[in-house]
Amino acid sequence: MPAGRKERKIMKIYYQHPNTWFGDCMPFGKDDTFYLFHQRDTRVPCPFGEPFGWDLATTKDFVTYEDCGVAIPRGTDEEQDQFIFAGSICEDREGKYHAFYTGYNRDYPKQGKPSQVLMHAVSEDLKHWTKTQDAVTFVPQPGYDPDDWRDPFVLWDDESEKYILILGARLEGDKHKTTGRTVYFTSDNLADWEFQGDFWAPDLFTVHEMPDLFKMGDWWYLITTEYSHASTQVYRMAKSLKGPWIAPDDDAFDGRAYYAGRTFMLNNQRILFGWVPTRANETDSANLWYRPEADKEDFIWAGTFVAHELYQREDGTLGCRIPDTVWNAFKDEKKLDDVKLEKESGRALQHVVTKTGDCYRYEADVTFTEGTRGFSVGVRAQEADDEFYSFTFECPKDRVIFEKSPNWPWPQMNNMGLERLIRLVPGKKYHVQIIVDDTIATLYVDGVALNTRMYTNPGEGICLGVTDGSAVFENQSIAYL
């Protein structure tokens, strides 16, 4: 193993190539197979230390994966694509595959050259790629920041009968100004592109990353990832590509610990391909962003791949759920007794499992009564001291958070951004599903997803809780791989 590289434990259900960290994913699908083009960061000596290209893994079920190795190799230190940043894969009308990607050279700004330029490669089989070196059309346009011009995404528009290429950008100037925007090009043939200007310029974020654009039913959806507000993914929806792009009440798919997802639809299943970041030094009290000058106790770039399946609600908004193949991979199921908890003032707890192991799934149907302040499902629970991590549903606030209990000495955990909006209605039944795989815990409930990391291990139990009210946990089960 190269010097400086830290060996890590292998995940059991989620995907991460050994001794690397899963970066941005450029998904594609053909027949019954998903192709995960992605970056693998060695973290030698830190994130973005060693240059990388695109590697490829394939899967049919998001449980088993085939490693196909390097798909598009990175260039030399003297070439534009010293690193190959994110992009997208598409298939043309003749069946040839095209990769549009960001060539990044960290040394170019000192030479007066743009660090980020869009580039192009072609393939006949999705596994062997030839770079065309077609970069001139895609250089950063006048007025835009030449060092924030990346993550192209290409699709065919039936209405205009043109290809559209969108990418993340920002205007030139101070990065404290929220001039992030998604810009676009159009083409008849994937070779000759014409710049069309801003596609979506809300002036909300410093820069847009990993934009995605797709249609489901009557609605178009535009996704972007931002790191200057909540550091998460957001989406907008419109009935036309010309907008207006409207924000739903809950415009996210997950919390802070899920980033840079792109989607692909195969066989009527649209999957969001994002990654759960790790925290350097593996500590819960870390900050939530990587800064080279800091003490390196942050959520940092790249991590572990987790697949969400997106679905459309009746009102057109999007929800997240577990792909059936992932949930059904857990076979050794044990039913648990129903539990009713109530306490008029204060918290009631009950431990329902004492030894889970480090990879399992749990589910329950939960209802709560009018006036209840909150209910919770705790993982890695230790019964003797009532110490655990908890998905806590705060009923008056219509949100679910991830926290550690007890939070003493304060703070035991920096959980900034580890929360989601969810409408909590007394008497309504909520189907709670949780997957734990080593340090990752993933919650799904009512179309809402929340990923987290845990870096201490108080115990191996599951405990249930209610505060200032009553709740019933029915149809509980736990299952293992």
Side-chain angles (χ1 to χ4, degrees):
M1 183 179 300
R5 182 178 297 174
K6 182 178 180 180
E7 187 171 8
R8 56 161 197 84
K9 191 175 181 180
I10 302 297
M11 310 300 288
K12 293 182 178 178
I13 192 70
Y14 295 141
Y15 179 72
Q16 188 176 345
H17 188 70
N19 300 315
T20 65
W21 284 258
F22 191 101
D24 297 342
C25 186
M26 287 57 66
F28 192 77
K30 192 73 175 179
D31 299 324
D32 61 352
T33 301
F34 287 96
Y35 292 74
L36 282 64
F37 296 88
H38 63 283
Q39 302 140 343
R40 292 176 180 172
D41 195 343
T42 62
R43 294 191 179 167
V44 178
C46 61
F48 301 104
E50 292 183 329
F52 47 71
W54 284 3
D55 285 83
L56 174 63
T58 61
T59 184
K60 299 177 186 294
D61 56 11
F62 303 105
V63 178
T64 58
Y65 294 83
E66 179 184 352
D67 173 31
C68 301
V70 176
I72 305 180
R74 65 102 164 181
T76 67
D77 288 344
E78 289 70 40
E79 293 179 295
Q80 177 69 59
D81 56 353
Q82 177 189 41
F83 290 76
I84 298 185
F85 278 7
S88 66
I89 307 292
C90 67
E91 183 178 5
D92 68 19
R93 300 300 186 183
E94 286 71 46
K96 178 179 286 189
Y97 303 103
H98 297 255
F100 293 89
Y101 61 92
T102 308
Y104 169 71
N105 190 304
R106 61 186 167 195
D107 304 316
Y108 272 17
K110 296 178 182 178
Q111 303 171 30
K113 303 176 183 178
S115 65
Q116 299 179 20
V117 170
L118 306 193
M119 303 182 76
H120 180 222
V122 294
S123 174
E124 300 291 343
D125 61 3
L126 290 170
K127 294 185 177 182
H128 303 88
W129 292 85
T130 301
K131 298 178 183 179
T132 66
Q133 306 301 329
D134 293 340
V136 63
T137 307
F138 298 117
V139 296
Q141 300 294 298
Y144 294 89
D145 190 331
D147 298 322
D148 281 308
W149 184 262
R150 58 181 175 271
D151 306 345
F153 178 84
V154 178
L155 76 157
W156 172 259
D157 175 33
D158 287 327
E159 184 176 344
S160 65
E161 296 188 335
K162 290 181 181 293
Y163 292 99
I164 298 174
L165 182 150
I166 60 174
L167 67 136
R170 59 169 279 105
L171 297 182
E172 285 184 308
D174 191 324
K175 286 202 173 182
H176 290 93
K177 294 184 176 181
T178 54
T179 63
R181 54 244 294 119
T182 299
V183 302
Y184 73 118
F185 293 79
T186 58
S187 173
D188 295 319
N189 55 16
L190 291 174
D192 303 302
W193 293 90
E194 183 178 354
F195 183 62
Q196 302 293 343
D198 293 343
F199 187 83
W200 183 52
D203 293 328
L204 289 171
F205 314 117
T206 295
V207 71
H208 293 187
E209 294 192 304
M210 296 294 284
D212 192 356
L213 183 63
F214 60 89
K215 191 175 186 182
M216 293 178 69
D218 295 331
W219 288 96
W220 282 96
Y221 298 93
L222 175 65
I223 298 174
T224 193
T225 300
E226 57 81 20
Y227 58 72
S228 62
H229 177 60
S231 200
T232 188
Q233 288 184 273
V234 297
Y235 77 95
R236 297 293 185 265
M237 45 198 293
K239 289 294 184 73
S240 165
L241 283 175
K242 297 178 182 179
W245 295 98
I246 60 175
D249 289 343
D250 178 11
D251 66 349
F253 299 115
D254 204 316
R256 168 62 188 93
Y258 191 83
Y259 201 74
R262 279 271 177 77
T263 75
F264 194 88
M265 187 167 183
L266 182 67
N267 299 325
N268 296 315
Q269 184 182 39
R270 183 166 292 276
I271 299 295
L272 180 63
F273 296 74
W275 45 266
V276 177
T278 57
R279 299 192 200 230
N281 293 347
E282 299 187 348
T283 170
D284 290 332
S285 59
N287 294 320
L288 300 182
W289 192 247
Y290 176 76
R291 301 184 307 279
E293 71 278 9
D295 61 3
K296 296 182 174 61
E297 292 186 354
D298 303 73
F299 266 145
I300 56 178
W301 187 83
T304 306
F305 166 64
V306 173
H308 290 323
E309 182 176 347
L310 299 185
Y311 68 93
Q312 189 179 58
R313 300 185 179 98
E314 289 185 5
D315 63 359
T317 60
L318 297 176
C320 288
R321 61 191 175 202
I322 307 171
D324 287 342
T325 51
V326 176
W327 188 254
N328 294 334
F330 296 85
K331 300 294 186 183
D332 184 15
E333 183 177 83
K334 178 183 177 181
K335 300 292 185 180
L336 306 175
D337 293 338
D338 294 347
V339 171
K340 181 178 181 179
L341 295 175
E342 54 186 339
K343 191 165 187 177
E344 183 177 0
S345 179
R347 183 178 71 175
L349 290 176
Q350 181 168 329
H351 293 259
V352 294
V353 179
T354 58
K355 192 172 182 62
T356 60
D358 62 2
C359 188
Y360 63 92
R361 66 164 169 85
Y362 166 85
E363 67 179 336
D365 291 326
V366 186
T367 55
F368 66 93
T369 58
E370 184 76 37
T372 298
R373 185 170 181 80
F375 62 91
S376 62
V377 178
V379 298
R380 288 194 174 183
Q382 198 253 92
E383 187 169 4
D385 299 323
D386 282 338
E387 185 179 356
F388 51 87
Y389 292 90
S390 176
F391 289 105
T392 301
F393 294 80
E394 298 181 325
C395 303
K397 297 180 180 179
D398 281 336
R399 71 171 184 169
V400 57
I401 66 172
F402 189 71
E403 60 182 352
K404 196 172 182 189
S405 180
N407 191 19
W408 180 88
W410 187 89
Q412 283 292 295
M413 183 177 194
N414 184 341
N415 63 352
M416 183 185 298
L418 300 183
E419 63 179 72
R420 293 298 316 281
L421 174 69
I422 179 171
R423 301 301 182 197
L424 295 171
V425 180
K428 178 179 177 179
K429 183 175 292 186
Y430 291 89
H431 186 58
V432 175
Q433 297 174 287
I434 296 172
I435 291 178
V436 171
D437 187 0
D438 193 35
T439 61
I440 296 177
T442 312
L443 168 75
Y444 296 89
V445 55
D446 205 27
V448 171
L450 180 61
N451 270 287
T452 66
R453 289 277 185 178
M454 308 172 288
Y455 286 112
T456 66
N457 197 11
E460 293 187 59
I462 295 174
C463 67
L464 310 176
V466 69
T467 302
D468 295 351
S470 66
V472 176
F473 300 78
E474 301 174 291
N475 304 315
Q476 294 185 88
S477 71
I478 185 170
Y480 310 91
L481 288 179

